[in-house]
Short mmCIF file of all heavy atoms in Angstrom, two decimals:
data_model
loop_
_atom_site.label_atom_id
_atom_site.label_comp_id
_atom_site.label_asym_id
_atom_site.label_seq_id
_atom_site.Cartn_x
_atom_site.Cartn_y
_atom_site.Cartn_z
N MET A 1 0.84 -1.18 0.00
CA MET A 1 0.00 0.00 0.00
C MET A 1 0.89 1.24 0.00
O MET A 1 1.78 1.38 0.83
CB MET A 1 -0.87 -0.01 1.26
CG MET A 1 -2.22 0.53 1.05
SD MET A 1 -3.17 0.16 2.56
CE MET A 1 -4.54 1.12 2.21
N ASP A 2 0.64 2.14 -0.92
CA ASP A 2 1.48 3.34 -1.00
C ASP A 2 0.91 4.47 -0.14
O ASP A 2 -0.21 4.40 0.36
CB ASP A 2 1.66 3.79 -2.45
CG ASP A 2 0.34 4.17 -3.11
OD1 ASP A 2 -0.72 3.78 -2.60
OD2 ASP A 2 0.39 4.88 -4.12
N THR A 3 1.68 5.50 0.01
CA THR A 3 1.31 6.62 0.88
C THR A 3 0.07 7.34 0.38
O THR A 3 -0.79 7.74 1.16
CB THR A 3 2.48 7.61 0.97
OG1 THR A 3 3.64 6.91 1.40
CG2 THR A 3 2.19 8.72 1.96
N LYS A 4 -0.06 7.50 -0.94
CA LYS A 4 -1.21 8.20 -1.50
C LYS A 4 -2.51 7.49 -1.15
O LYS A 4 -3.50 8.12 -0.79
CB LYS A 4 -1.06 8.31 -3.02
CG LYS A 4 -2.12 9.12 -3.68
CD LYS A 4 -1.87 9.26 -5.16
CE LYS A 4 -2.95 10.07 -5.82
NZ LYS A 4 -2.75 10.21 -7.26
N THR A 5 -2.52 6.18 -1.23
CA THR A 5 -3.71 5.40 -0.90
C THR A 5 -4.02 5.49 0.59
O THR A 5 -5.19 5.56 0.98
CB THR A 5 -3.50 3.92 -1.30
OG1 THR A 5 -3.08 3.86 -2.66
CG2 THR A 5 -4.76 3.13 -1.13
N GLN A 6 -3.01 5.52 1.42
CA GLN A 6 -3.22 5.59 2.86
C GLN A 6 -3.76 6.96 3.28
O GLN A 6 -4.54 7.05 4.23
CB GLN A 6 -1.92 5.31 3.60
CG GLN A 6 -1.49 3.87 3.51
CD GLN A 6 -0.15 3.65 4.19
OE1 GLN A 6 0.64 4.58 4.34
NE2 GLN A 6 0.10 2.41 4.59
N LEU A 7 -3.36 8.02 2.60
CA LEU A 7 -3.78 9.37 2.98
C LEU A 7 -5.09 9.81 2.34
O LEU A 7 -5.66 10.82 2.74
CB LEU A 7 -2.68 10.38 2.62
CG LEU A 7 -1.39 10.27 3.41
CD1 LEU A 7 -0.39 11.29 2.91
CD2 LEU A 7 -1.64 10.45 4.89
N LYS A 8 -5.58 9.09 1.34
CA LYS A 8 -6.78 9.50 0.61
C LYS A 8 -8.00 9.71 1.53
O LYS A 8 -8.72 10.68 1.35
CB LYS A 8 -7.10 8.49 -0.49
CG LYS A 8 -8.17 8.98 -1.42
CD LYS A 8 -8.33 8.10 -2.62
CE LYS A 8 -9.35 8.70 -3.57
NZ LYS A 8 -9.47 7.92 -4.78
N PRO A 9 -8.27 8.87 2.53
CA PRO A 9 -9.43 9.12 3.39
C PRO A 9 -9.31 10.41 4.21
O PRO A 9 -10.30 10.92 4.70
CB PRO A 9 -9.49 7.91 4.31
CG PRO A 9 -8.66 6.87 3.66
CD PRO A 9 -7.65 7.59 2.82
N TYR A 10 -8.12 10.93 4.35
CA TYR A 10 -7.88 12.10 5.19
C TYR A 10 -7.58 13.35 4.36
O TYR A 10 -7.11 14.35 4.90
CB TYR A 10 -6.71 11.84 6.14
CG TYR A 10 -6.89 10.57 6.94
CD1 TYR A 10 -6.15 9.44 6.65
CD2 TYR A 10 -7.81 10.52 7.98
CE1 TYR A 10 -6.32 8.27 7.39
CE2 TYR A 10 -7.99 9.37 8.71
CZ TYR A 10 -7.25 8.25 8.41
OH TYR A 10 -7.43 7.10 9.13
N ARG A 11 -7.84 13.33 3.06
CA ARG A 11 -7.42 14.41 2.18
C ARG A 11 -8.05 15.75 2.55
O ARG A 11 -7.37 16.77 2.53
CB ARG A 11 -7.68 14.06 0.73
CG ARG A 11 -9.13 13.92 0.34
CD ARG A 11 -9.27 13.49 -1.12
NE ARG A 11 -10.64 13.23 -1.46
CZ ARG A 11 -11.23 12.06 -1.40
NH1 ARG A 11 -10.54 11.01 -1.01
NH2 ARG A 11 -12.50 11.91 -1.73
N PHE A 12 -9.33 15.78 2.92
CA PHE A 12 -9.96 17.05 3.24
C PHE A 12 -9.48 17.59 4.58
O PHE A 12 -9.36 18.80 4.76
CB PHE A 12 -11.48 16.92 3.21
CG PHE A 12 -12.01 16.62 1.84
CD1 PHE A 12 -12.67 15.44 1.57
CD2 PHE A 12 -11.82 17.52 0.80
CE1 PHE A 12 -13.14 15.15 0.31
CE2 PHE A 12 -12.30 17.24 -0.47
CZ PHE A 12 -12.95 16.06 -0.72
N ARG A 13 -9.18 16.71 5.51
CA ARG A 13 -8.60 17.15 6.78
C ARG A 13 -7.23 17.76 6.56
O ARG A 13 -6.88 18.78 7.16
CB ARG A 13 -8.48 15.97 7.74
CG ARG A 13 -9.80 15.42 8.17
CD ARG A 13 -9.59 14.24 9.09
NE ARG A 13 -10.75 13.35 8.99
CZ ARG A 13 -10.83 12.20 9.59
NH1 ARG A 13 -9.84 11.77 10.33
NH2 ARG A 13 -11.90 11.45 9.45
N LEU A 14 -6.45 17.13 5.68
CA LEU A 14 -5.12 17.64 5.40
C LEU A 14 -5.18 18.98 4.66
O LEU A 14 -4.40 19.90 4.96
CB LEU A 14 -4.32 16.62 4.58
CG LEU A 14 -3.99 15.32 5.31
CD1 LEU A 14 -3.39 14.31 4.35
CD2 LEU A 14 -3.05 15.59 6.46
N VAL A 15 -6.09 19.10 3.71
CA VAL A 15 -6.24 20.37 2.99
C VAL A 15 -6.68 21.46 3.95
O VAL A 15 -6.18 22.59 3.93
CB VAL A 15 -7.24 20.22 1.81
CG1 VAL A 15 -7.62 21.55 1.24
CG2 VAL A 15 -6.65 19.33 0.74
N GLY A 16 -7.63 21.16 4.83
CA GLY A 16 -8.09 22.13 5.83
C GLY A 16 -6.98 22.55 6.77
O GLY A 16 -6.85 23.73 7.11
N ALA A 17 -6.18 21.59 7.20
CA ALA A 17 -5.06 21.91 8.09
C ALA A 17 -4.03 22.79 7.37
O ALA A 17 -3.48 23.73 7.96
CB ALA A 17 -4.41 20.63 8.59
N LEU A 18 -3.78 22.50 6.10
CA LEU A 18 -2.83 23.30 5.32
C LEU A 18 -3.34 24.73 5.14
O LEU A 18 -2.58 25.69 5.29
CB LEU A 18 -2.57 22.64 3.97
CG LEU A 18 -1.56 23.33 3.07
CD1 LEU A 18 -0.18 23.35 3.73
CD2 LEU A 18 -1.49 22.64 1.73
N ILE A 19 -4.62 24.88 4.84
CA ILE A 19 -5.20 26.21 4.71
C ILE A 19 -5.12 26.96 6.03
O ILE A 19 -4.79 28.15 6.07
CB ILE A 19 -6.66 26.12 4.20
CG1 ILE A 19 -6.66 25.64 2.75
CG2 ILE A 19 -7.38 27.44 4.34
CD1 ILE A 19 -8.04 25.30 2.22
N GLY A 20 -5.41 26.27 7.13
CA GLY A 20 -5.30 26.89 8.45
C GLY A 20 -3.88 27.33 8.76
O GLY A 20 -3.66 28.41 9.32
N LEU A 21 -2.92 26.52 8.39
CA LEU A 21 -1.52 26.87 8.60
C LEU A 21 -1.12 28.10 7.79
O LEU A 21 -0.46 29.00 8.30
CB LEU A 21 -0.62 25.68 8.25
CG LEU A 21 0.88 25.93 8.35
CD1 LEU A 21 1.27 26.15 9.80
CD2 LEU A 21 1.65 24.77 7.76
N ILE A 22 -1.56 28.15 6.54
CA ILE A 22 -1.24 29.29 5.69
C ILE A 22 -1.86 30.57 6.25
O ILE A 22 -1.20 31.61 6.32
CB ILE A 22 -1.72 29.03 4.24
CG1 ILE A 22 -0.85 27.95 3.60
CG2 ILE A 22 -1.68 30.30 3.41
CD1 ILE A 22 -1.37 27.43 2.28
N ILE A 23 -3.11 30.49 6.70
CA ILE A 23 -3.77 31.67 7.27
C ILE A 23 -3.08 32.09 8.56
O ILE A 23 -2.89 33.29 8.82
CB ILE A 23 -5.27 31.40 7.48
CG1 ILE A 23 -5.96 31.31 6.12
CG2 ILE A 23 -5.92 32.48 8.32
CD1 ILE A 23 -7.42 30.91 6.18
N ALA A 24 -2.66 31.13 9.38
CA ALA A 24 -1.95 31.45 10.62
C ALA A 24 -0.63 32.16 10.33
O ALA A 24 -0.29 33.15 10.99
CB ALA A 24 -1.71 30.18 11.43
N VAL A 25 0.11 31.69 9.35
CA VAL A 25 1.37 32.33 8.98
C VAL A 25 1.11 33.75 8.46
O VAL A 25 1.85 34.68 8.78
CB VAL A 25 2.14 31.47 7.95
CG1 VAL A 25 3.30 32.22 7.36
CG2 VAL A 25 2.61 30.19 8.60
N LEU A 26 0.05 33.91 7.67
CA LEU A 26 -0.29 35.24 7.18
C LEU A 26 -0.65 36.18 8.32
O LEU A 26 -0.25 37.34 8.34
CB LEU A 26 -1.44 35.17 6.17
CG LEU A 26 -1.10 34.62 4.80
CD1 LEU A 26 -2.37 34.43 3.98
CD2 LEU A 26 -0.13 35.53 4.08
N PHE A 27 -1.42 35.69 9.30
CA PHE A 27 -1.75 36.51 10.47
C PHE A 27 -0.50 36.95 11.21
O PHE A 27 -0.38 38.10 11.62
CB PHE A 27 -2.66 35.74 11.44
CG PHE A 27 -4.12 35.86 11.15
CD1 PHE A 27 -4.92 34.74 11.13
CD2 PHE A 27 -4.71 37.08 10.93
CE1 PHE A 27 -6.27 34.82 10.88
CE2 PHE A 27 -6.07 37.19 10.68
CZ PHE A 27 -6.85 36.05 10.65
N LEU A 28 0.42 36.03 11.38
CA LEU A 28 1.63 36.34 12.14
C LEU A 28 2.56 37.29 11.39
O LEU A 28 3.26 38.10 12.01
CB LEU A 28 2.37 35.06 12.50
CG LEU A 28 1.66 34.17 13.52
CD1 LEU A 28 2.41 32.85 13.68
CD2 LEU A 28 1.55 34.87 14.86
N THR A 29 2.61 37.19 10.06
CA THR A 29 3.55 38.01 9.31
C THR A 29 2.94 39.33 8.85
O THR A 29 3.61 40.35 8.88
CB THR A 29 4.08 37.25 8.08
OG1 THR A 29 2.99 36.83 7.28
CG2 THR A 29 4.89 36.04 8.50
N LEU A 30 1.68 39.31 8.41
CA LEU A 30 1.07 40.52 7.85
C LEU A 30 0.16 41.25 8.82
O LEU A 30 -0.02 42.45 8.72
CB LEU A 30 0.25 40.16 6.60
CG LEU A 30 1.02 39.53 5.44
CD1 LEU A 30 0.05 39.18 4.33
CD2 LEU A 30 2.10 40.45 4.94
N GLY A 31 -0.47 40.53 9.72
CA GLY A 31 -1.42 41.11 10.63
C GLY A 31 -2.84 40.76 10.22
O GLY A 31 -3.09 40.11 9.20
N PHE A 32 -3.80 41.22 11.03
CA PHE A 32 -5.19 40.83 10.83
C PHE A 32 -5.81 41.45 9.58
O PHE A 32 -6.43 40.76 8.77
CB PHE A 32 -6.02 41.24 12.06
CG PHE A 32 -7.48 40.89 11.93
CD1 PHE A 32 -7.90 39.59 12.06
CD2 PHE A 32 -8.41 41.88 11.69
CE1 PHE A 32 -9.23 39.27 11.94
CE2 PHE A 32 -9.75 41.57 11.56
CZ PHE A 32 -10.16 40.26 11.70
N GLY A 33 -5.67 42.76 9.40
CA GLY A 33 -6.30 43.46 8.29
C GLY A 33 -5.89 42.96 6.91
O GLY A 33 -6.75 42.59 6.10
N PRO A 34 -4.59 42.94 6.63
CA PRO A 34 -4.17 42.44 5.31
C PRO A 34 -4.54 40.98 5.07
O PRO A 34 -4.91 40.61 3.95
CB PRO A 34 -2.65 42.61 5.34
CG PRO A 34 -2.41 43.71 6.31
CD PRO A 34 -3.47 43.54 7.35
N THR A 35 -4.48 40.16 6.12
CA THR A 35 -4.85 38.75 5.96
C THR A 35 -6.34 38.62 5.65
O THR A 35 -6.74 37.85 4.78
CB THR A 35 -4.50 37.96 7.22
OG1 THR A 35 -3.10 38.05 7.45
CG2 THR A 35 -4.89 36.50 7.09
N LEU A 36 -7.15 39.39 6.34
CA LEU A 36 -8.59 39.37 6.09
C LEU A 36 -8.89 39.83 4.67
O LEU A 36 -9.75 39.24 3.99
CB LEU A 36 -9.32 40.25 7.11
CG LEU A 36 -10.83 40.20 7.09
CD1 LEU A 36 -11.32 38.80 7.41
CD2 LEU A 36 -11.38 41.19 8.09
N LEU A 37 -8.18 40.83 4.20
CA LEU A 37 -8.35 41.30 2.83
C LEU A 37 -7.96 40.22 1.82
O LEU A 37 -8.69 39.97 0.85
CB LEU A 37 -7.51 42.56 2.59
CG LEU A 37 -7.59 43.15 1.19
CD1 LEU A 37 -8.99 43.68 0.91
CD2 LEU A 37 -6.56 44.25 1.04
N ILE A 38 -6.86 39.54 2.03
CA ILE A 38 -6.41 38.48 1.13
C ILE A 38 -7.42 37.35 1.08
O ILE A 38 -7.79 36.87 0.01
CB ILE A 38 -5.02 37.96 1.55
CG1 ILE A 38 -3.95 39.02 1.27
CG2 ILE A 38 -4.68 36.66 0.84
CD1 ILE A 38 -2.60 38.69 1.86
N VAL A 39 -7.91 36.92 2.24
CA VAL A 39 -8.88 35.83 2.30
C VAL A 39 -10.18 36.23 1.62
O VAL A 39 -10.77 35.46 0.85
CB VAL A 39 -9.12 35.39 3.76
CG1 VAL A 39 -10.29 34.43 3.87
CG2 VAL A 39 -7.86 34.75 4.34
N THR A 40 -10.65 37.46 1.86
CA THR A 40 -11.89 37.93 1.25
C THR A 40 -11.77 38.03 -0.26
O THR A 40 -12.65 37.57 -1.00
CB THR A 40 -12.27 39.31 1.83
OG1 THR A 40 -12.39 39.19 3.25
CG2 THR A 40 -13.58 39.80 1.25
N LEU A 41 -10.68 38.61 -0.76
CA LEU A 41 -10.50 38.73 -2.20
C LEU A 41 -10.31 37.37 -2.87
O LEU A 41 -10.78 37.16 -4.00
CB LEU A 41 -9.31 39.65 -2.51
CG LEU A 41 -9.52 41.12 -2.14
CD1 LEU A 41 -8.25 41.91 -2.41
CD2 LEU A 41 -10.69 41.71 -2.86
N THR A 42 -9.66 36.44 -2.18
CA THR A 42 -9.53 35.09 -2.72
C THR A 42 -10.89 34.42 -2.83
O THR A 42 -11.19 33.78 -3.85
CB THR A 42 -8.59 34.25 -1.83
OG1 THR A 42 -7.33 34.90 -1.74
CG2 THR A 42 -8.42 32.85 -2.37
N LEU A 43 -11.72 34.57 -1.82
CA LEU A 43 -13.06 33.99 -1.86
C LEU A 43 -13.90 34.62 -2.97
O LEU A 43 -14.60 33.90 -3.70
CB LEU A 43 -13.75 34.18 -0.50
CG LEU A 43 -15.17 33.62 -0.39
CD1 LEU A 43 -15.16 32.10 -0.59
CD2 LEU A 43 -15.77 33.98 0.94
N ILE A 44 -13.82 35.93 -3.13
CA ILE A 44 -14.56 36.61 -4.20
C ILE A 44 -14.07 36.12 -5.57
O ILE A 44 -14.87 35.85 -6.46
CB ILE A 44 -14.43 38.13 -4.06
CG1 ILE A 44 -15.22 38.61 -2.84
CG2 ILE A 44 -14.92 38.84 -5.32
CD1 ILE A 44 -14.98 40.07 -2.49
N GLY A 45 -12.77 35.99 -5.74
CA GLY A 45 -12.22 35.49 -6.99
C GLY A 45 -12.66 34.07 -7.28
O GLY A 45 -12.99 33.72 -8.41
N PHE A 46 -12.70 33.23 -6.26
CA PHE A 46 -13.18 31.86 -6.42
C PHE A 46 -14.64 31.84 -6.86
O PHE A 46 -15.01 31.10 -7.77
CB PHE A 46 -13.01 31.09 -5.11
CG PHE A 46 -13.65 29.74 -5.12
CD1 PHE A 46 -13.05 28.68 -5.78
CD2 PHE A 46 -14.85 29.53 -4.48
CE1 PHE A 46 -13.63 27.43 -5.79
CE2 PHE A 46 -15.45 28.28 -4.49
CZ PHE A 46 -14.84 27.24 -5.15
N LEU A 47 -15.46 32.65 -6.22
CA LEU A 47 -16.88 32.69 -6.57
C LEU A 47 -17.10 33.22 -7.98
O LEU A 47 -17.96 32.72 -8.71
CB LEU A 47 -17.65 33.52 -5.55
CG LEU A 47 -17.77 32.90 -4.16
CD1 LEU A 47 -18.43 33.87 -3.19
CD2 LEU A 47 -18.52 31.59 -4.21
N ILE A 48 -16.34 34.23 -8.39
CA ILE A 48 -16.45 34.75 -9.76
C ILE A 48 -16.03 33.67 -10.76
O ILE A 48 -16.69 33.47 -11.78
CB ILE A 48 -15.61 36.03 -9.92
CG1 ILE A 48 -16.25 37.18 -9.15
CG2 ILE A 48 -15.46 36.40 -11.40
CD1 ILE A 48 -15.41 38.44 -9.09
N GLY A 49 -14.96 32.97 -10.48
CA GLY A 49 -14.51 31.89 -11.36
C GLY A 49 -15.53 30.77 -11.45
O GLY A 49 -15.80 30.24 -12.53
N LYS A 50 -16.12 30.43 -10.32
CA LYS A 50 -17.13 29.38 -10.32
C LYS A 50 -18.37 29.83 -11.10
O LYS A 50 -18.97 29.05 -11.82
CB LYS A 50 -17.50 29.03 -8.88
CG LYS A 50 -18.31 27.79 -8.73
CD LYS A 50 -18.41 27.36 -7.29
CE LYS A 50 -19.22 26.07 -7.21
NZ LYS A 50 -19.27 25.53 -5.89
N TRP A 51 -18.72 31.10 -10.98
CA TRP A 51 -19.85 31.64 -11.72
C TRP A 51 -19.58 31.64 -13.22
O TRP A 51 -20.45 31.28 -14.01
CB TRP A 51 -20.16 33.05 -11.24
CG TRP A 51 -21.28 33.72 -11.95
CD1 TRP A 51 -22.59 33.37 -11.96
CD2 TRP A 51 -21.19 34.87 -12.79
NE1 TRP A 51 -23.32 34.23 -12.72
CE2 TRP A 51 -22.48 35.17 -13.26
CE3 TRP A 51 -20.12 35.67 -13.19
CZ2 TRP A 51 -22.72 36.23 -14.10
CZ3 TRP A 51 -20.38 36.74 -14.02
CH2 TRP A 51 -21.66 37.00 -14.48
N CYS A 52 -18.37 32.01 -13.62
CA CYS A 52 -18.00 31.99 -15.04
C CYS A 52 -17.98 30.57 -15.61
O CYS A 52 -18.26 30.38 -16.79
CB CYS A 52 -16.64 32.65 -15.26
SG CYS A 52 -16.65 34.42 -15.01
N ASP A 53 -17.65 29.59 -14.77
CA ASP A 53 -17.68 28.20 -15.21
C ASP A 53 -19.09 27.66 -15.32
O ASP A 53 -19.31 26.59 -15.86
CB ASP A 53 -16.90 27.31 -14.24
CG ASP A 53 -15.41 27.53 -14.32
OD1 ASP A 53 -14.95 28.05 -15.35
OD2 ASP A 53 -14.71 27.18 -13.35
N GLY A 54 -20.04 28.39 -14.78
CA GLY A 54 -21.43 27.94 -14.80
C GLY A 54 -21.76 26.97 -13.68
O GLY A 54 -22.79 26.32 -13.70
N ALA A 55 -20.89 26.88 -12.69
CA ALA A 55 -21.10 25.93 -11.61
C ALA A 55 -21.69 26.57 -10.36
O ALA A 55 -22.01 25.87 -9.40
CB ALA A 55 -19.77 25.26 -11.25
N LEU A 56 -21.85 27.88 -10.36
CA LEU A 56 -22.40 28.59 -9.19
C LEU A 56 -23.89 28.77 -9.39
O LEU A 56 -24.33 29.39 -10.35
CB LEU A 56 -21.72 29.94 -9.00
CG LEU A 56 -22.17 30.76 -7.82
CD1 LEU A 56 -21.77 30.06 -6.53
CD2 LEU A 56 -21.56 32.14 -7.85
N ARG A 57 -24.67 28.23 -8.50
CA ARG A 57 -26.12 28.36 -8.56
C ARG A 57 -26.56 29.40 -7.55
O ARG A 57 -26.69 29.12 -6.36
CB ARG A 57 -26.77 27.02 -8.30
CG ARG A 57 -26.36 26.01 -9.35
CD ARG A 57 -27.21 24.76 -9.25
NE ARG A 57 -26.85 23.88 -10.34
CZ ARG A 57 -26.48 22.63 -10.16
NH1 ARG A 57 -26.43 22.12 -8.96
NH2 ARG A 57 -26.18 21.89 -11.21
N VAL A 58 -26.77 30.61 -8.03
CA VAL A 58 -27.08 31.75 -7.17
C VAL A 58 -28.41 31.54 -6.46
O VAL A 58 -28.56 31.90 -5.29
CB VAL A 58 -27.09 33.06 -8.00
CG1 VAL A 58 -27.44 34.23 -7.12
CG2 VAL A 58 -25.75 33.27 -8.67
N GLU A 59 -29.38 30.93 -7.13
CA GLU A 59 -30.68 30.72 -6.52
C GLU A 59 -30.58 29.85 -5.27
O GLU A 59 -31.27 30.10 -4.27
CB GLU A 59 -31.65 30.07 -7.52
CG GLU A 59 -31.95 30.91 -8.74
CD GLU A 59 -30.90 30.75 -9.84
OE1 GLU A 59 -30.12 29.77 -9.81
OE2 GLU A 59 -30.83 31.64 -10.70
N GLU A 60 -29.74 28.82 -5.31
CA GLU A 60 -29.56 27.96 -4.15
C GLU A 60 -28.93 28.72 -2.99
O GLU A 60 -29.30 28.51 -1.83
CB GLU A 60 -28.71 26.75 -4.50
CG GLU A 60 -29.40 25.77 -5.42
CD GLU A 60 -28.52 24.58 -5.76
OE1 GLU A 60 -27.45 24.42 -5.16
OE2 GLU A 60 -28.93 23.81 -6.65
N TRP A 61 -28.00 29.59 -3.28
CA TRP A 61 -27.37 30.41 -2.22
C TRP A 61 -28.39 31.34 -1.60
O TRP A 61 -28.43 31.52 -0.39
CB TRP A 61 -26.21 31.21 -2.79
CG TRP A 61 -24.97 30.40 -2.96
CD1 TRP A 61 -24.72 29.46 -3.91
CD2 TRP A 61 -23.80 30.45 -2.15
NE1 TRP A 61 -23.49 28.93 -3.75
CE2 TRP A 61 -22.88 29.52 -2.68
CE3 TRP A 61 -23.43 31.18 -1.05
CZ2 TRP A 61 -21.64 29.31 -2.12
CZ3 TRP A 61 -22.18 30.98 -0.49
CH2 TRP A 61 -21.30 30.04 -1.02
N ILE A 62 -29.23 31.96 -2.45
CA ILE A 62 -30.24 32.90 -1.93
C ILE A 62 -31.23 32.16 -1.04
O ILE A 62 -31.56 32.64 0.04
CB ILE A 62 -30.94 33.62 -3.12
CG1 ILE A 62 -29.94 34.55 -3.79
CG2 ILE A 62 -32.15 34.39 -2.61
CD1 ILE A 62 -30.45 35.16 -5.07
N THR A 63 -31.70 31.01 -1.48
CA THR A 63 -32.65 30.26 -0.64
C THR A 63 -32.00 29.75 0.62
O THR A 63 -32.65 29.66 1.67
CB THR A 63 -33.27 29.09 -1.43
OG1 THR A 63 -32.23 28.23 -1.89
CG2 THR A 63 -34.11 29.57 -2.58
N PHE A 64 -30.70 29.42 0.56
CA PHE A 64 -30.01 28.96 1.76
C PHE A 64 -29.93 30.06 2.82
O PHE A 64 -30.15 29.83 3.99
CB PHE A 64 -28.60 28.47 1.41
CG PHE A 64 -27.78 28.07 2.60
CD1 PHE A 64 -28.00 26.85 3.21
CD2 PHE A 64 -26.80 28.90 3.10
CE1 PHE A 64 -27.25 26.47 4.32
CE2 PHE A 64 -26.05 28.54 4.21
CZ PHE A 64 -26.27 27.31 4.81
N PHE A 65 -29.62 31.28 2.39
CA PHE A 65 -29.43 32.37 3.34
C PHE A 65 -30.74 33.06 3.73
O PHE A 65 -30.76 33.82 4.69
CB PHE A 65 -28.45 33.41 2.78
CG PHE A 65 -27.02 32.92 2.83
CD1 PHE A 65 -26.33 32.65 1.68
CD2 PHE A 65 -26.37 32.72 4.04
CE1 PHE A 65 -25.02 32.20 1.70
CE2 PHE A 65 -25.08 32.27 4.09
CZ PHE A 65 -24.40 32.00 2.92
N THR A 66 -31.82 32.82 3.00
CA THR A 66 -33.09 33.48 3.33
C THR A 66 -34.12 32.51 3.88
O THR A 66 -35.28 32.88 4.03
CB THR A 66 -33.67 34.17 2.08
OG1 THR A 66 -33.86 33.20 1.05
CG2 THR A 66 -32.77 35.29 1.61
N ARG A 67 -33.73 31.31 4.20
CA ARG A 67 -34.69 30.35 4.76
C ARG A 67 -35.04 30.74 6.19
O ARG A 67 -34.26 31.36 6.92
CB ARG A 67 -34.14 28.94 4.69
CG ARG A 67 -32.93 28.74 5.57
CD ARG A 67 -32.40 27.35 5.45
NE ARG A 67 -31.16 27.29 6.24
CZ ARG A 67 -30.44 26.22 6.37
NH1 ARG A 67 -30.82 25.12 5.78
NH2 ARG A 67 -29.35 26.22 7.08
N ASP A 68 -36.21 30.34 6.58
CA ASP A 68 -36.68 30.68 7.93
C ASP A 68 -36.43 29.57 8.90
O ASP A 68 -36.40 28.46 8.68
CB ASP A 68 -38.18 30.98 7.92
CG ASP A 68 -38.45 32.30 7.18
OD1 ASP A 68 -37.58 33.17 7.23
OD2 ASP A 68 -39.53 32.40 6.60
#
């Protein structure tokens, strides 16, 4: 059994941990404001890209956030 096969069940945990580590390093080096700006602009860019790909369903997001 190779390493890739052994780590596959934990891939999302590892990606989440890596993202957390990157954000922590950004907080420590740049501070809160610039890090928040980078994360926000990255999220906006991701959403725009997903929308251009046709994979973003705006109606589902609206119903998710406006449900009672």
Side-chain angles (χ1 to χ4, degrees):
M1 215 170 170
D2 62 341
T3 305
K4 186 177 179 181
T5 308
Q6 290 176 336
L7 292 178
K8 190 171 184 176
Y10 307 106
R11 65 183 175 267
F12 295 117
R13 294 179 206 175
L14 294 171
V15 169
L18 182 62
I19 291 171
L21 177 67
I22 290 169
I23 290 174
V25 169
L26 286 173
F27 272 133
L28 292 173
T29 57
L30 299 177
F32 179 74
T35 300
L36 187 62
L37 179 66
I38 290 170
V39 170
T40 303
L41 292 176
T42 302
L43 180 63
I44 290 171
F46 172 77
L47 291 174
I48 290 172
K50 192 169 181 175
W51 178 66
C52 290
D53 288 340
L56 181 67
R57 298 191 175 126
V58 179
E59 297 84 17
E60 290 179 10
W61 281 74
I62 291 172
T63 58
F64 176 78
F65 286 113
T66 58
R67 66 181 175 180
D68 290 330

